[in-house]
Amino acid sequence: MPPHKPDPAKVHAALDAQLVALGEPAYDGGETTAELLRACIAVVLRAYDLGLRPEREAARFAVRHLLDRLATAAPGRTVEVRVPPYAAVQCVEGPRHTRGTPPNVIETDALTWLELATGRLTWERAEEEGRVTASGSRADLSAHLPVA
């Protein structure tokens, strides 16, 4: 499945909304979709670092972008990675399932996913701290992280 291609104008609007919520000026950086998404990831993490709940759309774009990066870097359909309520992707090469829930499922919250995907948190530490649930023999993303 190809990565999701967000509308740059919508990403920019979500980024600006998050910046306003943080009391910061509007975004004035690069306008490519990749630049906007990188800025969105950074500002959502900044909101979390300040103990704030990020704006929903900004968090959705950040989470979805990093999940798409994982699916591109580790193509396949053996593992389903879920970050409710924002998105889920299937990835990692291996036996393919055809119906229902894959045999290998990983689920985590948005903050944990963003930290894992950006290298701020290791897979091992996330498991030790109970910040991810992983079931199945292939439900280990440590070889595929970070993605950003």
Side-chain angles (χ1 to χ4, degrees), residues 1 6 11-12 24 28 31 33 39 43 51 67-68 72 80 83 91 108 120 130 135 139 146:
M1 174 181 250
V11 177
H12 196 163
E24 298 180 19
D28 66 353
E31 294 295 320
T33 304
V43 75
L67 283 171
D68 285 344
T72 299
E80 184 166 289
V83 183
C91 57
T108 190
R120 291 173 61 169
S135 63

Side-chain angles (χ1 to χ4, degrees), residues 70 79 81 91-92 106 113 116 123 138-145:
L70 172 66
V79 178
V81 181
C91 57
V92 182
I106 296 166
W113 171 244
L116 284 166
W123 179 258
R138 296 176 183 261
D140 179 345
L141 293 179
S142 58
H144 307 289
L145 296 171

Side-chain angles (χ1 to χ4, degrees), residues 10 14-15 40 44 54-62 86:
K10 290 181 179 179
L15 175 57
C40 198
V44 167
E55 296 294 306
R56 183 176 175 85
E57 283 302 294
R60 184 176 65 81
F61 282 121
Y86 301 111

Side-chain angles (χ1 to χ4, degrees), residues 35-76:
E35 291 168 321
L36 289 165
L37 288 166
R38 277 193 300 274
C40 198
I41 292 163
V43 75
V44 167
L45 282 169
R46 196 157 57 248
Y48 278 122
D49 289 344
L50 294 169
L52 303 172
R53 184 177 192 179
E55 296 294 306
R56 183 176 175 85
E57 283 302 294
R60 184 176 65 81
F61 282 121
V63 165
R64 179 63 194 238
H65 174 65
L66 292 173
L67 283 171
D68 285 344
R69 299 263 323 245
L70 172 66
T72 299

Side-chain angles (χ1 to χ4, degrees), residues 96-145:
R96 183 176 177 179
H97 74 285
T98 55
R99 292 178 34 185
T101 301
N104 303 283
V105 176
I106 296 166
E107 189 167 316
T108 190
D109 61 272
L111 172 58
T112 301
W113 171 244
L114 293 173
E115 289 181 334
L116 284 166
T118 59
R120 291 173 61 169
L121 176 67
T122 65
W123 179 258
E124 294 78 19
R125 186 165 151 226
E127 281 192 310
E128 287 170 9
E129 294 176 0
R131 295 177 63 182
V132 296
T133 57
S135 63
S137 61
R138 296 176 183 261
D140 179 345
L141 293 179
S142 58
H144 307 289
L145 296 171

